[in-house]
Amino acid sequence: MKLHEISPAAGSNKASKRVGRGPASGTGKTAGKGHKGQKARSGGGVRIGFEGGQMPLQRRIPKRGFNNIFATKFATINVSDLERFENGAVVDTDAIINAGLIKKPLDGIKVLGNGELTKKLTVQVACFSKSAIEKIEAAGGKAEAFIPKKEEKVEKDEVK
């Protein structure tokens, strides 16, 4: 087999429809758009979600509750997830991400108290539940709340 002899599988490549190329093509004259009307015009058509003046579905459906855009969202892990780290290790945000426990830290990581811990670990994350602190300290480790500082605003000197 040579490079010039290779061809794609039968039916895998379909020729594109050539519209507006004469009556013999089957899509000549109006190019498959029909006669006149908004959808036949250049740049014509309606926006996404438009229902011809009827109240759109997105506005008809009742809205419930409240979404606080300023809320702090934590990525959560359990005490049992910390069992995979070596005894005496320092477990911080980077170590948890590298271990594949979470993908994105969001506004910080919270350790919850589900499961058991047998290893002595120093855990440095944003926050802990009370039961998680008790279990980490019962195993001989430390639970240290560590919140990474956001970049502080630099104030400009006043010009006199």
Side-chain angles (χ1 to χ4, degrees):
M1 181 180 286
K2 296 187 173 95
L3 198 59
H4 70 276
E5 296 172 346
I6 298 172
S7 63
S12 66
N13 283 8
K14 187 178 177 183
S16 60
K17 186 188 284 189
R18 298 183 70 230
V19 296
R21 294 294 182 274
S25 69
T27 52
K29 194 181 169 228
T30 56
K33 287 179 173 266
H35 292 278
K36 299 186 182 176
Q38 186 176 12
K39 291 171 75 176
R41 310 289 185 205
S42 168
V46 294
R47 67 181 177 272
I48 293 170
F50 185 70
E51 299 182 20
Q54 173 177 298
M55 187 61 67
L57 183 69
Q58 189 269 338
R59 291 182 62 192
R60 288 198 305 263
I61 294 172
K63 309 297 183 286
R64 298 279 305 189
F66 172 75
N67 184 23
N68 185 1
I69 60 170
F70 301 106
T72 308
K73 293 185 175 131
F74 291 108
T76 58
I77 61 170
N78 284 305
V79 171
S80 59
D81 297 328
L82 300 175
E83 197 65 37
R84 69 173 65 198
F85 294 101
E86 295 176 13
N87 200 9
V90 176
V91 180
D92 58 355
T93 303
D94 294 331
I96 291 169
I97 292 170
N98 292 338
L101 292 172
I102 61 167
K103 288 183 179 163
K104 285 195 273 185
L106 303 176
D107 294 327
I109 299 173
K110 182 170 185 172
V111 179
L112 304 177
N114 191 9
E116 296 300 321
L117 182 66
T118 58
K119 297 177 181 172
K120 183 180 177 182
L121 301 171
T122 303
V123 185
Q124 297 174 336
V125 294
C127 60
F128 302 85
S129 67
K130 287 182 182 176
S131 59
I133 294 172
E134 291 168 5
K135 289 181 181 181
I136 292 168
E137 290 176 350
K142 288 184 195 171
E144 299 174 358
F146 172 76
I147 300 172
K149 292 181 181 178
K150 294 181 181 175
E151 296 178 19
E152 295 178 13
K153 293 180 182 175
V154 179
E155 294 181 19
K156 296 180 181 177
D157 294 333
E158 292 180 16
V159 180
K160 293 182 180 178

